[in-house]
Amino acid sequence: MRGMFTSGVLDVFMENGIVFDGAIGVSAGATFGCNYKSRQPGRAIRYNKRFAGNWRYCSFRSLLLTGDMYGAKFCYDVLPKKLDYFDLDAYKNNPMEFYVVASDAITGKPVYKKLETCDDKDLTWMRASASMPLVSKPVKVDGFTLLDGGMTDSIPLEYFQSIGYEKNIVILTQPRSFIKKPNKMLGLMKLFLRKYPALVNAMAKRHEMYNKETEYIFNEEKKGSCLVLAPETSLGISRTEKNPDELERVYMEGRRTAERALPKVKEFLKDI
């Protein structure tokens, strides 16, 4: 739910007519970022506040009954098709490319997928990108067995540059000073993910990967090829926060960050 910060940033961008040729999202950045392509400001904070307390959306009951803390059927079928409509036509008609990152459980490597229509298969890729280890079943799609993209590529700037995106805005949900430490849950992951040793190995090194990626993006920022937006301090919110007031607080912090940065953002994008 640190992704509520990202949602706040993106809503301000949409409200101010800021558009991009492409975007790439990881985990919550995928599930909330898709609303940028469908041009639906306010949708992510609205449905999260509305359904955060619904057991079908996120709960240990859902985990016990379905194997997923975030209920797959409810989150990726019932909610976007019946309860808070996801505009598929707007998504498909927007020329902006949208990619997600998932982690290949067999190889322990990131997999990148362009979602062109957000049909059921695309939504399965999105779910894979956001399927947190220990509280989600591996997702099988297109011959892959996948889990959360943040396990193998938390900040995919280098990938986006490799496919031609030369100027990028990077939205972080941790402050610039954040240094990731080794995962305290690694022992449990070794147990629950024992069928996927390459993925366990990736998780053992995840803090190193993340810290190298933040070093890279800040160096790229100094070169002028990217602009980084991040909260000033730790957001202090649980991954599975249910309190609507806390969701709103983090969302509004994202909005304030974007509003303060708007002149810099417009200056950065003016020659594109």
Side-chain angles (χ1 to χ4, degrees):
M1 285 304 169
R2 288 199 312 270
M4 286 292 94
F5 176 87
T6 304
S7 297
V9 172
L10 296 181
D11 282 357
V12 169
F13 282 1
M14 282 190 273
E15 292 161 6
N16 284 272
I18 294 172
V19 297
F20 299 94
D21 296 318
I24 185 165
V26 185
S27 196
T31 56
F32 301 156
C34 61
N35 296 292
Y36 202 88
K37 184 168 165 63
S38 66
R39 310 304 292 173
Q40 291 180 275
R43 180 174 179 268
I45 182 63
R46 180 176 66 240
Y47 78 71
N48 274 281
K49 289 175 66 175
R50 179 181 175 189
F51 295 111
N54 189 310
W55 75 266
R56 296 176 298 166
Y57 183 62
C58 175
S59 66
F60 283 106
R61 180 180 175 185
S62 175
L63 178 62
L64 289 171
L65 292 177
T66 72
D68 291 299
M69 179 167 280
Y70 282 89
K73 175 70 175 176
F74 185 81
C75 293
Y76 298 95
D77 184 16
V78 176
L79 195 160
K81 295 178 181 178
K82 297 178 181 179
L83 302 178
D84 198 312
Y85 178 68
F86 182 74
D87 194 336
L88 286 173
D89 289 335
Y91 183 97
K92 287 184 283 189
N93 291 331
N94 185 343
M96 184 189 85
E97 294 183 328
F98 187 71
Y99 292 76
V100 299
V101 187
S103 297
D104 188 322
I106 307 302
T107 66
K109 302 293 184 182
V111 182
Y112 308 93
K113 177 71 172 178
K114 182 164 73 169
L115 307 186
E116 300 194 50
T117 64
C118 232
D119 60 8
D120 287 343
K121 182 175 283 190
D122 280 359
L123 284 170
T124 302
W125 273 94
M126 198 179 294
R127 174 163 65 90
S129 180
S131 290
M132 297 184 293
L134 301 184
V135 294
S136 307
K137 293 181 296 187
V139 176
K140 296 183 182 296
V141 59
D142 287 336
F144 292 97
T145 301
L146 304 167
L147 278 169
D148 195 309
M151 301 168 76
T152 53
D153 194 352
S154 298
I155 313 169
L157 176 61
E158 285 190 81
Y159 172 76
F160 228 39
Q161 290 173 328
S162 77
I163 61 172
Y165 288 93
E166 297 175 351
K167 294 195 74 175
N168 296 277
I169 291 179
V170 178
I171 303 171
L172 302 179
T173 58
Q174 296 282 13
R176 288 171 175 263
S177 60
F178 178 74
I179 303 295
K180 184 172 281 294
K181 301 292 195 299
N183 195 311
K184 295 179 180 178
M185 304 292 285
L186 189 60
L188 272 178
M189 290 189 182
K190 287 180 179 178
L191 175 64
F192 281 89
L193 298 175
R194 58 189 178 277
K195 290 171 58 178
Y196 309 111
L199 193 60
V200 172
N201 186 56
M203 281 302 293
K205 298 177 180 178
R206 188 191 174 199
H207 62 293
E208 298 174 6
M209 173 268 293
Y210 180 91
N211 295 332
K212 286 179 181 177
E213 289 189 335
T214 53
E215 181 181 6
Y216 179 79
I217 65 169
F218 294 139
N219 284 334
E220 289 297 294
E221 187 176 42
K222 290 175 184 176
K223 296 177 186 177
S225 67
C226 82
L227 178 66
V228 180
L229 301 186
E232 292 185 355
T233 59
S234 173
L235 294 171
I237 188 170
S238 163
R239 287 185 177 91
T240 57
E241 181 61 63
K242 297 179 180 299
N243 184 336
D245 292 336
E246 278 296 284
L247 300 179
E248 178 76 13
R249 175 184 67 80
V250 172
Y251 170 78
M252 291 305 298
E253 182 59 32
R255 289 191 63 93
R256 286 189 291 270
T257 297
E259 287 163 355
R260 289 193 297 265
L262 270 177
K264 189 183 298 186
V265 169
K266 292 177 179 179
E267 177 68 21
F268 178 74
L269 298 174
K270 71 177 183 179
D271 296 326
I272 298 177

